[in-house]
Amino acid sequence: MIFLTALPLFWIMISASRGGHWGAWMPSSISAFEGTCVSIPCRFDFPDELRPAVVHGVWYFNSPYPKNYPPVVFKSRTQVVHESFQGRSRLLGDLGLRNCTLLLSNVSPELGGKYYFRGDLGGYNQYTFSEHSVLDIINTPNIVVPPEVVAGTEVEVSCMVPDNCPELRPELSWLGHEGLGEPAVLGRLREDEGTWVQVSLLHFVPTREANGHRLGCQASFPNTTLQFEGYASLDVKYAPWKPTVNGTMVAVEGETVSILCSTQSNPDPILTIFKEKQILATVIYESELQLELPAVSPEDDGEYWCVAENQYGQRATAFNLSVEFAPVLLLESHCAAARDTVQCLCVVKSNPEPSVAFELPSRNVTVNESEREFVYSERSGLVLTSILTLRGQAQAPPRVICTARNLYGAKSLELPFQGAHRLMWAKIGPVGAVVAFAILIAIVCYITQTRRKKNVTESPSFSAGDNPPVLFSSDFRISGAPEKYESERRLGSERRLLGLRGEPPELDLSYSHSDLGKRPTKDSCTLTEELAEYAEIRVK
C-alpha cells in the first residue's frame, strides 16, 4: 500500500476543472471500526453558467437513483433521513464551496455498503454522480506480513487500522512479540485516496522456531471501552532440518531391511536416498521417506545418504548399512614362485572379519595369522588379503589350501599356481641348469670350430709372416697356477654355478697378450666339456 501526505492528483485535477462539467470525487473504499465514526471525504463540481443561489445535496445508500427509493442518508432541504441513519449522519462539508464530506457516527455492520451523492441546484439542475464510496465496518486490525518470511532474514510486519474518525483516534500495541523485536509506531498516514490510517511496524529476524508463532496487534480508543485485536501466524520458510534416520543398520544376508528418513521444512521438501550416486528411493513434498530392501546381499553393504531439499536449502545425513555374511574366497587367490620363494595370496570377502589359515597337506602343517613370520594380513573394506611366504621351496611347488571362517560359516580353496614359466628353473634344479648351459655352449663351440676349419682349407697361402688373426675369447689362455690352487678354484666355481653359494661368478678373462705363451691352453669348449662331465657325475 502506498502512503501519501499530499492531495491526490485526481483531487487537484477536479479542483482545477471547475466550471466545466458535472463531476465528483470520493474514495472508492473506506473503513471504520464498529462503534466509532467515519468521515467520507467528498467534493463535487458543476458548470459555472448555472450560477445557483443555493446549492443542496442528498446522500443515498446503495443506489444512486431516486426512483428506486433508496434509503436517504442525509438531505439538506428537509433533514428527513432513513431511520437507520437518524442521529448518526451529518454533513461536514459546505455545499456552497462544493464540499460534500459526510460524517457517520456510531457505525454498525448494517451501515456497510455503497454511498452516492446527488447535487441539487434547483429546478431541473439535479445530478446523481456515478462515483461512490464503499464503507467497510471492521472489528480487527489489519496485520500485514510479507508474502515470504525466510528464517535468518530480517522482516517487517505492520499493523494498520483506519483513522478516519475525527472524534476518536486509535492507539496501537503489539501482542506476543516478546523475543521478536521492539515495535516502532509510524503514526497517522494518509493513503493515496485521501483516507487515513494508523501504522505500527515490527522488525525482527525470524528463526526456524518462529514458524507458526501467533503475533497480535491491538487497537484501543482512549476514554472508551472500545478495543479490537487481530492475529496472524508466521509462516516462516526455512531449509530442511538435518534428516534423521531410523531403522535396521545391521542385517544378515537375506534379511529384509527397512529404513525411515524424516525431516522438517517449510515448504515440505523433496527427500531422496542415494547409494554411490544411485537413487534408491525418492518422494516429493513429504517429510518422511521409507526405504525397503527385501533381501539384502553383500552388495547392499556400504554408505548411504538421505538428502532433503527445497528452494531454501539442502541438508543431508549419511548412514551405513552393514550386511553380515559367510566368507567368500575371491578369484584373486593364488600362489606364485620366484627363485627359492613361494607366496600365496588368500583374498576373502566377509563380514564380520574372518580368521584365515593356510594348510600344507604334504607336510601336515597349518599356518594361521598369529604366525607373523610367515603370514601378513591386510583389510580393505569387506576384503581381507592374507599372504603366506614360504622360502626354500623351489624344488617342487607345494599344495596350499586356504580356509576362511567366521560365525556364519567357513570356506576352503586349494590355491592354484600362476606363472608356470617362472617355475622352470626351480623345477629342473641347479644341476640341470648347469647341464643345459653346457649343452648350449657345446653347440656354439661346434659351430665355431667348423667355420674355422673351413677357413683354413680355403686359405692355403697363409704363412706365419702374415698378420696374426683376430683373437676371440675362445683363443685366450687361462693364466697358469699350481695344480692345487687351480683345482680349488674350479671346484669353487662349479659350486657357485650349482647355486650352493649364491649367484655364479663371471669367469676372469682379463689377462694380457704377454701371458698367452706362458700359460697352459684350455679353451672355453674344453672347460665346458669338463663342467658337463662334472654335472653328469652329480646327476648320477
Side-chain angles (χ1 to χ4, degrees), residues 116-184:
Y116 296 86
F117 177 72
R118 179 180 176 84
D120 182 1
L121 278 63
Y124 293 102
N125 295 320
Q126 299 181 15
Y127 190 87
T128 300
F129 300 97
S130 60
E131 292 82 6
H132 61 278
S133 186
V134 178
L135 175 62
D136 184 24
I137 309 300
I138 64 174
N139 287 287
T140 59
N142 180 28
I143 299 179
V144 180
V145 181
E148 188 172 84
V149 178
V150 181
T153 303
E154 186 181 54
V155 297
E156 178 185 276
V157 179
S158 61
C159 178
M160 304 174 61
V161 297
D163 191 7
N164 297 306
C165 177
E167 301 171 358
L168 297 172
R169 293 293 169 80
E171 293 182 352
L172 298 179
S173 59
W174 288 92
L175 306 173
H177 71 285
E178 294 81 7
L180 296 180
E182 293 300 323

Side-chain angles (χ1 to χ4, degrees), residues 81-389:
V81 299
H82 188 272
E83 60 182 4
S84 300
F85 296 95
Q86 289 179 358
R88 303 169 76 176
S89 63
R90 62 189 176 96
L91 195 69
L92 291 183
D94 186 342
L95 296 178
L97 298 177
R98 307 181 190 192
N99 188 327
C100 49
T101 300
L102 177 69
L103 177 66
L104 298 175
S105 302
N106 193 23
V107 295
S108 56
E110 66 270 15
L111 300 187
K114 299 177 181 179
Y115 287 81
Y116 296 86
F117 177 72
R118 179 180 176 84
D120 182 1
L121 278 63
Y124 293 102
N125 295 320
Q126 299 181 15
Y127 190 87
T128 300
F129 300 97
S130 60
E131 292 82 6
H132 61 278
S133 186
V134 178
L135 175 62
D136 184 24
I137 309 300
I138 64 174
N139 287 287
T140 59
N142 180 28
I143 299 179
V144 180
V145 181
E148 188 172 84
V149 178
V150 181
T153 303
E154 186 181 54
V155 297
E156 178 185 276
V157 179
S158 61
C159 178
M160 304 174 61
V161 297
D163 191 7
N164 297 306
C165 177
E167 301 171 358
L168 297 172
R169 293 293 169 80
E171 293 182 352
L172 298 179
S173 59
W174 288 92
L175 306 173
H177 71 285
E178 294 81 7
L180 296 180
E182 293 300 323
V185 179
L186 289 184
R188 190 168 185 256
L189 300 178
R190 182 169 183 156
E191 298 180 289
D192 54 356
E193 288 193 326
T195 57
W196 295 86
V197 293
Q198 282 279 359
V199 179
S200 179
L201 301 179
L202 185 64
H203 291 89
F204 61 95
V205 177
T207 62
R208 298 172 183 264
E209 291 75 17
N211 184 49
H213 181 81
R214 199 162 179 255
L215 187 63
C217 178
Q218 184 182 80
S220 59
F221 295 85
N223 302 321
T224 70
T225 59
L226 297 174
Q227 194 174 81
F228 304 92
E229 294 179 356
Y231 292 89
S233 294
L234 297 179
D235 185 22
V236 181
K237 312 297 183 183
Y238 50 84
W241 291 89
K242 187 178 179 65
T244 58
V245 179
N246 298 315
T248 303
M249 297 304 169
V250 179
V252 179
E253 182 178 10
E255 289 184 346
T256 299
V257 170
S258 179
I259 297 174
L260 178 66
C261 175
S262 60
T263 187
Q264 294 182 14
S265 68
N266 186 21
D268 286 330
I270 299 174
L271 280 172
T272 307
I273 295 180
F274 294 88
K275 183 177 186 289
E276 297 176 352
K277 298 183 180 180
Q278 180 183 1
I279 297 177
L280 301 181
T282 187
V283 68
I284 299 176
Y285 305 137
E286 296 288 342
S287 59
E288 292 185 349
L289 174 60
Q290 190 87 20
L291 174 65
E292 292 284 346
L293 300 175
V296 293
S297 65
E299 287 69 26
D300 294 318
D301 189 284
E303 184 180 58
Y304 293 71
W305 284 90
C306 178
V307 180
E309 59 182 331
N310 61 15
Q311 60 265 44
Y312 300 102
Q314 181 188 87
R315 298 296 298 275
T317 297
F319 62 95
N320 286 285
L321 173 62
S322 178
V323 179
E324 298 185 343
F325 55 95
V328 177
L329 293 173
L330 304 184
L331 295 178
E332 298 94 313
S333 302
H334 70 280
C335 290
R339 294 184 180 176
D340 63 344
T341 301
V342 172
Q343 280 195 333
C344 295
L345 275 69
C346 186
V347 186
V348 186
K349 184 176 183 181
S350 73
N351 189 20
E353 181 176 339
S355 60
V356 176
F358 294 92
E359 180 184 357
L360 284 72
S362 61
R363 300 185 182 181
N364 195 24
V365 173
T366 300
V367 183
N368 57 38
E369 298 168 292
S370 63
E371 300 179 71
R372 298 300 177 88
E373 181 181 356
F374 304 102
V375 179
Y376 168 78
S377 296
E378 184 179 66
R379 185 173 177 87
S380 177
L382 298 178
V383 177
L384 176 72
T385 301
S386 289
I387 303 174
L388 171 66
T389 301

Side-chain angles (χ1 to χ4, degrees), residues 438-470:
I439 293 173
L440 178 61
I441 296 298
I443 294 173
V444 174
C445 290
Y446 174 78
I447 295 174
T448 302
Q449 291 177 357
T450 302
R451 288 182 178 178
R452 187 177 296 169
K453 291 178 181 180
K454 182 178 180 181
N455 292 334
V456 172
T457 304
E458 293 178 352
S459 305
S461 59
F462 174 77
S463 63
D466 296 333
N467 293 329
V470 177

Side-chain angles (χ1 to χ4, degrees), residues 446-505:
Y446 174 78
I447 295 174
T448 302
Q449 291 177 357
T450 302
R451 288 182 178 178
R452 187 177 296 169
K453 291 178 181 180
K454 182 178 180 181
N455 292 334
V456 172
T457 304
E458 293 178 352
S459 305
S461 59
F462 174 77
S463 63
D466 296 333
N467 293 329
V470 177
L471 294 177
F472 296 93
S473 61
S474 59
D475 299 320
F476 283 16
R477 299 180 180 181
I478 302 175
S479 58
E483 184 177 352
K484 181 180 180 181
Y485 170 79
E486 184 67 22
S487 175
E488 291 178 353
R489 182 175 178 273
R490 182 184 305 171
L491 181 59
S493 299
E494 292 167 353
R495 288 179 176 174
R496 283 191 289 272
L497 286 173
L498 293 174
L500 301 180
R501 295 186 181 178
E503 296 293 331

